[in-house]
Amino acid sequence: MSLPEIVSRAEWRAAREELLAKEKAVTRARDALNAERRRLPMVLIDRVYVFEGGDGRATLLDLFQGRRQLVVFHFMFAPEWDAGCRGCSAWLDQVGHLAHLEARGTSFAVVSRAPYTRILPFKARMGWTVPWYSSYPGVFNEDFDVTVECEGELVERSGVSCFLRDGERVFHTYSACARGLEGLGSTTS
């Protein structure tokens, strides 16, 4: 591994100021992008999705747990797999205590395509306590573009989808996959 150039303190300070100007420009651009993201239109969810979780069957509305917002992490775990994705596991390890989200009216849930009977032992082995649901055998993952067809086979992708509840109506407000998850943690899947 090669080392950076060695310079005087004054040269370093000048280089640092130049980089700082670029960092500030990126921060302002990210602020503008975040404002645009908040203005993204939303889509009414008119399909009934049924999941299986620790308390049995649940609908998408149930995943809100009475809160106004829901963040779903699409964890790559296909029906035929014995364990979940390593990258998704590293990402999920970063999720802290949910009380901070819940205090702001937001629920968090993990959804995978594997049957719940496959998810449960893996979840226990990993020591996770977050709500985790199976969408098997439904089309939830396909509808939110995290299970896609590639060369005639279904392929899993990790992602995050956000939803807003207005009474009994549920709206899809945002989704991101792959490198779009980088802003949400220090690892990507």
Side-chain angles (χ1 to χ4, degrees):
M1 181 173 119
S2 62
L3 296 174
E5 179 184 2
I6 299 171
V7 296
S8 69
R9 174 59 67 185
E11 291 170 308
W12 179 88
R13 195 172 308 276
R16 178 64 189 109
E17 290 297 321
E18 186 178 318
L19 181 61
L20 181 60
K22 292 176 183 176
E23 290 172 340
K24 287 183 176 184
V26 167
T27 297
R28 285 189 293 278
R30 186 175 45 243
D31 290 346
L33 182 62
N34 288 341
E36 188 174 341
R37 184 180 298 116
R38 289 188 296 272
R39 292 188 303 270
L40 194 65
M42 56 188 186
V43 177
L44 177 66
I45 303 297
D46 53 7
R47 178 176 270 181
V48 176
Y49 295 103
V50 179
F51 306 91
E52 184 179 356
D55 294 327
R57 297 173 75 78
T59 65
L60 185 59
L61 187 61
D62 294 330
L63 271 57
F64 281 80
Q65 300 175 323
R67 296 182 185 89
R68 184 119 197 263
Q69 298 178 97
L70 170 66
V71 176
V72 169
F73 177 56
H74 301 279
F75 191 108
M76 293 169 49
F77 198 153
E80 64 276 9
W81 298 357
D82 292 322
C85 163
R86 286 188 221 162
C88 292
S89 296
W91 193 94
L92 193 55
D93 275 340
Q94 299 176 96
V95 174
H97 198 282
L98 298 181
H100 300 291
L101 278 175
E102 292 168 354
R104 287 159 182 81
T106 303
S107 289
F108 177 84
V110 178
V111 173
S112 295
R113 205 165 55 91
Y116 195 67
T117 55
R118 285 189 181 261
I119 292 169
L120 199 55
F122 179 71
K123 178 183 176 187
R125 187 185 96 200
M126 299 302 287
W128 293 320
T129 59
V130 296
W132 197 333
Y133 299 88
S134 168
S135 63
Y136 183 83
V139 295
F140 181 77
N141 288 31
E142 290 90 338
D143 285 354
F144 291 92
D145 300 319
V146 292
T147 299
V148 295
E149 189 173 327
C150 181
E151 298 180 11
E153 292 187 32
L154 292 179
V155 176
E156 304 294 310
R157 299 192 309 177
S158 62
V160 168
S161 291
C162 301
F163 302 90
L164 178 70
R165 181 178 67 87
D166 183 27
E168 298 294 307
R169 298 185 312 161
V170 174
F171 299 90
H172 177 221
T173 59
Y174 183 74
S175 283
C177 291
R179 292 202 61 192
L181 302 178
E182 288 178 353
L184 301 176
S186 60
T187 66
T188 59
S189 46

